[in-house]
Amino acid sequence: PSFLKGKGSGWVTAEYGMLPGSCPSRVRRDASSGRAQEIQRLIGRSLRSVVDLSALGEQTVKVDCDVIQADGGTRTASITGGFIALALAFQRLRKEKRLARLPLLDHIAAVSVGIHEGEIILDLNYKEDSSAEVDMNVVMTAKGGLVEVQATAERKPFSKPQMEKMTALAQKGIRELISLQKKYIKGI
């Protein structure tokens, strides 16, 4: 981006879109919608949080997140999968000697968690998400650092102990996802 020109720092950004056949009811491709822009910014912020931008040099990496099948949790899946794509791209740039070292500081993943019919559950599908009493998205690093926590009550407020239980379940899910990431991304 122009605000980084000449500063020796790179940038990581994202594009997000739901493809027309990704939902039971056809969606229009519209990356300029407010929802898509908000999700793009979330994905970009999340990925940048685990990248040493100065090690990237004056390069921009754009992670393209196209949702091909939507059933809830598309933003969290985009962060988790986007990290894999980013890590593989960095490995390729390193192999091509376009990077002196891998600029990754940590792994990152995201999950949705919520309260549905009085029960705290992980990875809400569309039906659960659309009728959940509480919907929460958590973005976390492998080292346990929180990048984003966004929670919304639909009908009545939720308690701090409920939030702590949801966060603990989200952390468990994120650890499982990062374990899977590490199987497919070697050397990070």
Side-chain angles (χ1 to χ4, degrees):
S2 59
F3 68 89
L4 288 176
K5 280 207 187 290
K7 297 191 175 160
S9 180
W11 193 248
V12 175
T13 187
E15 286 187 3
Y16 169 92
M18 293 180 64
L19 297 181
S22 62
C23 296
S25 60
R26 187 170 172 83
V27 294
R28 297 186 73 199
R29 196 183 287 228
D30 186 7
S32 65
S33 76
R35 179 182 183 276
Q37 288 181 352
E38 175 219 341
I39 294 170
Q40 286 174 177
R41 286 192 296 269
L42 168 64
I43 297 165
R45 280 192 315 269
S46 297
L47 296 175
R48 284 191 301 275
S49 76
V50 293
V51 175
D52 178 353
L53 296 173
S54 63
L56 186 55
E58 291 199 13
Q59 301 181 77
T60 296
V61 177
K62 187 178 290 186
V63 178
D64 190 1
C65 304
D66 286 331
V67 176
I68 57 175
Q69 183 180 6
D71 187 18
T74 60
R75 70 188 69 203
T76 58
S78 293
I79 292 166
T80 302
F83 174 79
I84 293 170
L86 183 65
L88 294 173
F90 284 162
Q91 286 179 333
R92 182 176 182 171
L93 290 171
R94 177 71 183 105
K95 188 176 183 179
E96 294 171 355
K97 304 209 183 305
R98 292 171 59 193
L99 288 175
R101 64 179 176 82
L102 288 176
L104 290 172
L105 304 170
D106 202 353
H107 283 256
I108 193 163
V111 295
S112 66
V113 63
I115 301 175
H116 181 260
E117 297 179 354
E119 186 179 342
I120 296 175
I121 56 173
L122 183 66
D123 192 25
L124 289 80
N125 64 29
Y126 177 78
K127 185 178 179 188
E128 293 162 337
D129 182 55
S130 63
S131 62
E133 295 108 68
V134 177
D135 178 26
M136 182 170 160
N137 294 308
V138 179
V139 184
M140 189 179 285
T141 67
K143 295 174 185 166
L146 290 166
V147 175
E148 175 140 323
V149 177
Q150 182 269 326
T152 305
E154 289 292 332
R155 292 174 195 77
K156 63 178 183 175
F158 56 99
S159 67
K160 185 175 179 188
Q162 286 173 310
M163 184 168 165
E164 289 168 351
K165 286 178 183 176
M166 287 187 291
T167 304
L169 183 58
Q171 184 174 26
K172 180 181 182 290
I174 288 170
R175 283 187 180 139
E176 290 176 27
L177 289 170
I178 289 173
S179 176
L180 289 169
Q181 285 176 339
K182 289 179 177 182
K183 284 184 178 181
Y184 296 99
I185 307 169
K186 304 294 182 196
I188 296 173

